[in-house]
């Protein structure tokens, strides 16, 4: 399925429209399958969307929604860099979400590989997977780094090659830290992936990911192409490449 690219005015509209898309995905999934499973993105862009969801909360079937993370920093849940902490502050503490519907990565464990194994087991148990089967999230939220990374799939990192594990501990040389991340096969098994991209610092990466033939090794967000699902890029004007998109052949 071809990616949909939807341009919005600014970060505030990105949050509003992102929340509306999130709500639509949740209501559709609950109607069709009785539950909604979502993999949340970290970083800063989605903060506004999570806060918007909490504000408009009454329309959402919170007791039928299940929250996972696409990636996590290798820190404790109270660390300022924790993606779990960011979501707890903006959404989990602001909405009637049953605590046992929240599945965070236990990244306080100093053994990053163990954290990945444990989260993979959590996914297998929740989704009732046999060995080799992939979870199918109703929605995966992703961001885009200025270097073209998404989740914690960073350029040149080992996780880009991972095709059998669901979750992996990915050594990110530029940080000198491990990151925990869902792998590309999991992202690409989703029913819907929504990228949220805001700000001029993302323009070059967006151009390379969407409009160039640069290799995915260099711009890992290029790996995301749901096999049987919707791919929506929600982009604000500041992040749009200035000139006309470079055609694929350029
Ligand atoms: C993380 C995210 C990461 C993020 C991008 C964009 O853990 O940081 O999962 O993939 O989405 O780095 O981050 P911003 O939204 O902060 O620009």
């Amino acid at each position: 399925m071809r990616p949909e690219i939807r341009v919005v005015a600014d970060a505030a509209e990105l949050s509003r429209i992102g929340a509306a898309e999130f709500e639509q995905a949740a209501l559709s999934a609950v109607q069709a399958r009785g539950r909604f499973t979502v993999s949340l993105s970290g970083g800063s862009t989605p903060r506004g969307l999570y806060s918007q969801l909490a504000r408009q909360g009454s329309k959402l079937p919170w007791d039928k929604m299940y929250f996972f993370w696409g990636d996590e920093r290798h820190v404790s849940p109270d660390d300022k860099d924790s993606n779990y902490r960011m979501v707890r502050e903006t959404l989990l503490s602001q909405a009637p979400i049953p605590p046992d519907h929240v599945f965070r990565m236990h990244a306080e464990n100093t053994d990053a590989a163990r954290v990945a194994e444990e989260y993979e087991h959590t996914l297998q148990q929740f989704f009732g997977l046999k060995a080799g089967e992939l979870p199918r999230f109703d929605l995966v939220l992703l961001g885009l780094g200025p270097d073209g990374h998404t989740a914690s799939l960073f350029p040149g990192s080992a996780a880009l090659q991972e095709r059998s594990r669901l979750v992996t501990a990915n050594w990110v040389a530029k940080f000198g830290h491990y990151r925990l991340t869902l792998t590309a096969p999991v992202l690409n098994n989703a029913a819907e992936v929504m990228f949220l991209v805001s700000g001029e610092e993302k323009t070059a990466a967006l151009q390379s990911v969407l409009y160039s033939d640069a290799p995915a090794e260099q711009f890992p967000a290029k790996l995301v192409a749901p096999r049987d699902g919707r791919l929506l890029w929600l982009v604000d004007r500041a992040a749009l490449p200035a000139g006309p998109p470079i055609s694929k052949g350029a």
Side-chain angles (χ1 to χ4, degrees):
M1 190 181 287
R2 286 179 61 80
E4 297 169 50
I5 301 170
R6 191 168 170 188
V7 180
V8 298
D10 53 25
E13 193 175 30
L14 190 80
S15 298
R16 277 196 305 277
I17 292 180
E21 289 284 352
F22 185 110
E23 180 183 307
Q24 182 53 48
L27 293 172
S28 303
V30 168
Q31 187 174 13
R33 290 177 293 282
R35 74 179 188 188
F36 171 66
T37 58
V38 58
S39 169
L40 299 171
S41 176
S44 54
T45 303
R47 293 183 71 97
L49 184 155
Y50 299 146
S51 301
Q52 178 74 25
L53 288 174
R55 277 195 296 277
Q56 68 188 41
S58 55
K59 288 180 266 181
L60 284 162
W62 296 110
D63 63 336
K64 295 184 176 64
M65 297 166 65
Y66 298 84
F67 298 82
F68 299 81
W69 275 255
D71 74 320
E72 184 57 277
R73 288 80 182 278
H74 192 201
V75 295
S76 81
D78 295 317
D79 189 290
K80 64 177 174 42
D81 291 335
S82 164
N83 287 335
Y84 166 77
R85 174 175 164 177
M86 183 270 286
V87 176
R88 185 183 66 203
E89 290 170 351
T90 53
L91 179 58
L92 303 183
S93 60
Q94 310 296 322
I97 299 167
D100 63 353
H101 286 208
V102 177
F103 300 86
R104 71 176 183 85
M105 296 184 188
H106 293 152
E108 63 273 23
N109 184 329
T110 52
D111 180 348
R114 183 84 193 90
V115 177
E117 284 162 21
E118 185 184 288
Y119 205 63
E120 179 158 313
H121 184 62
T122 298
L123 294 175
Q124 286 169 332
Q125 272 200 313
F126 180 87
F127 286 94
L129 304 177
K130 300 187 188 69
E133 290 184 330
L134 295 168
R136 183 170 172 80
F137 285 100
D138 294 307
L139 177 62
V140 169
L141 294 182
L142 291 174
L144 178 69
D147 60 358
H149 83 263
T150 192
S152 281
L153 300 171
F154 283 83
S157 65
L160 302 186
Q161 315 308 328
E162 183 56 61
R163 292 291 177 274
S164 56
R165 301 292 307 279
L166 307 182
V167 189
T168 189
N170 193 27
W171 178 256
V172 185
K174 73 176 182 180
F175 296 144
H177 288 301
Y178 277 104
R179 288 278 193 98
L180 288 308
T181 188
L182 297 185
T183 57
V186 174
L187 303 180
N188 287 331
N189 199 47
E192 179 173 353
V193 175
M194 177 160 68
F195 276 95
L196 299 167
V197 186
S198 172
E200 60 184 3
E201 71 276 13
K202 307 295 176 75
T203 303
L206 194 62
Q207 172 94 19
S208 299
V209 169
L210 290 183
Y211 302 120
S212 86
D213 290 339
E217 179 78 13
Q218 202 180 340
F219 295 97
K222 291 178 83 114
L223 289 170
V224 180
R227 194 173 38 78
D228 175 20
R230 182 189 185 204
L231 175 56
L232 172 61
W233 286 83
L234 217 42
V235 180
D236 73 6
R237 287 201 187 292
L240 265 191
I246 300 167
S247 69
K248 276 247 182 236

